[in-house]
Amino acid sequence: MAGIMGCSRSAPEETTGIDEISIVPKRSGNAVELNANAVYSIMKRCGFTDEQVYYHGTALKEALKNYGGACIYVGKGNAEVLLRVQGEEVQGVSQSYGYFVYDVKASDFKLGGVPLPQTQAPQRPIAPR
């Protein structure tokens, strides 16, 4: 997971919009099917806006269900988030918001501080398509 060192440190909400985000499935030892609330919680924990979660949440859910891992790119070549499934946990590291562990059974984070609420995080308006 430490492989994203040296990548750009742009928070998801600082991008120009939803078209700048891509989710690439990665093979991991495990896979898990998350419900919509879990996907929302994980993506919000990584700093994504509601609109970004809406457009990319299904791709993340499918990547973790079918491959057990995902790399979320913001912009060209900027790995913002790495996620992998380990047993009943989703382990993640975000360039902007650090390391966290989401417990699927408890439907809550068991490791990693909560980022600033969206109202306090620096934001740029999403550019029109």
Side-chain angles (χ1 to χ4, degrees):
M1 290 216 151
I4 61 175
M5 297 302 200
C7 295
S8 171
R9 294 187 59 91
S10 62
E13 69 272 2
E14 294 175 354
T15 66
T16 59
I18 58 172
D19 293 335
E20 296 290 320
I21 298 169
S22 62
I23 297 178
V24 178
K26 299 289 182 186
R27 287 266 177 226
S28 180
N30 301 85
V32 68
E33 185 165 3
L34 299 175
N35 63 30
N37 288 335
V39 173
Y40 180 81
S41 295
I42 290 169
M43 289 189 76
K44 291 299 280 187
R45 170 65 178 78
C46 296
F48 292 97
T49 66
D50 287 344
E51 184 178 23
Q52 291 166 335
V53 174
Y54 176 79
Y55 282 101
H56 298 286
T58 301
L60 179 60
K61 179 180 178 178
E62 291 300 313
L64 296 178
K65 174 183 167 187
N66 296 320
Y67 294 90
C71 186
I72 304 176
Y73 291 92
V74 178
K76 296 183 188 244
N78 299 327
E80 171 61 26
V81 181
L82 289 178
L83 298 167
R84 75 173 183 169
V85 177
Q86 191 70 17
E88 292 292 323
E89 298 175 344
V90 177
Q91 299 173 345
V93 63
S94 164
Q95 279 285 352
S96 300
Y97 296 105
Y99 181 76
F100 63 90
V101 176
Y102 182 84
D103 186 326
V104 176
K105 285 189 177 185
S107 298
D108 200 10
F109 293 95
K110 65 186 246 181
L111 182 64
V114 177
L116 294 173
Q118 285 292 33
T119 57
Q120 297 177 17
Q123 295 185 23
R124 275 190 209 158
I126 294 176
R129 292 194 204 205

